[in-house]
Amino acid sequence: MKLEHAEMRDEGISLNASTLNEENIMSTLSLVLLIGSITSLALLASYLDAKFQWRLNDWMNGECSNPFVKAVTDKQQKRLAEKDAQIESLMARIETLETIVTEPAYELNKKINALK
């Protein structure tokens, strides 16, 4: 009887060790899947932000109420203002060059220099 009791105790211990090992594997698998899912979600949100300017990352961080409203950021507004200023300055330079080239004195000076 003591022998049977000892065998049952040994089987119970091995059963518990087996169960613990399976639970450990499941918890590890669950952890890996959870981290992978969160990472995939973050990467997908970043991709959609970059492609469609949906602001999903801002929405997940609580910085905006509607992620699908396209927003012009301060950085984009600054770039647009710089481009507009550059275009205006280039237009002014072109107008100045046109007035110089179409001036009769410029053509006369060019002909004189060609004779020299």
Side-chain angles (χ1 to χ4, degrees), residues 76-88:
Q76 289 173 334
Q77 287 177 346
K78 185 177 179 182
R79 278 193 220 147
L80 288 174
E82 288 174 0
K83 285 181 182 180
D84 289 343
Q86 186 179 16
I87 289 171
E88 288 296 323

Side-chain angles (χ1 to χ4, degrees), residues 4-113:
E4 290 175 15
H5 201 63
E7 287 177 8
M8 290 176 71
R9 212 177 328 138
D10 289 342
E11 288 176 9
I13 290 172
S14 66
L15 180 64
N16 288 339
S18 171
T19 305
L20 288 175
N21 193 18
E22 288 176 10
E23 288 177 5
N24 190 18
I25 290 172
M26 289 302 290
S27 66
T28 304
L29 180 63
S30 298
L31 185 63
V32 168
L33 289 175
L34 179 67
I35 291 172
S37 299
I38 291 171
T39 304
S40 298
L41 180 66
L43 288 173
L44 179 66
S46 296
Y47 170 75
L48 292 173
D49 280 352
K51 181 137 179 116
F52 301 111
Q53 287 86 32
W54 278 356
R55 300 178 62 193
L56 290 172
N57 285 328
D58 291 343
W59 178 67
M60 286 190 278
N61 290 326
E63 296 175 8
C64 71
S65 60
N66 188 353
F68 302 110
V69 174
K70 290 185 181 179
V72 178
T73 62
D74 293 336
K75 195 174 188 181
Q76 289 173 334
Q77 287 177 346
K78 185 177 179 182
R79 278 193 220 147
L80 288 174
E82 288 174 0
K83 285 181 182 180
D84 289 343
Q86 186 179 16
I87 289 171
E88 288 296 323
S89 68
L90 290 173
M91 292 290 285
R93 289 178 66 188
I94 289 172
E95 289 175 6
T96 304
L97 290 173
E98 284 176 347
T99 56
I100 291 172
V101 170
T102 57
E103 221 174 78
Y106 176 78
E107 290 177 18
L108 181 62
N109 192 16
K110 189 175 177 184
K111 288 179 184 176
I112 292 172
N113 286 337

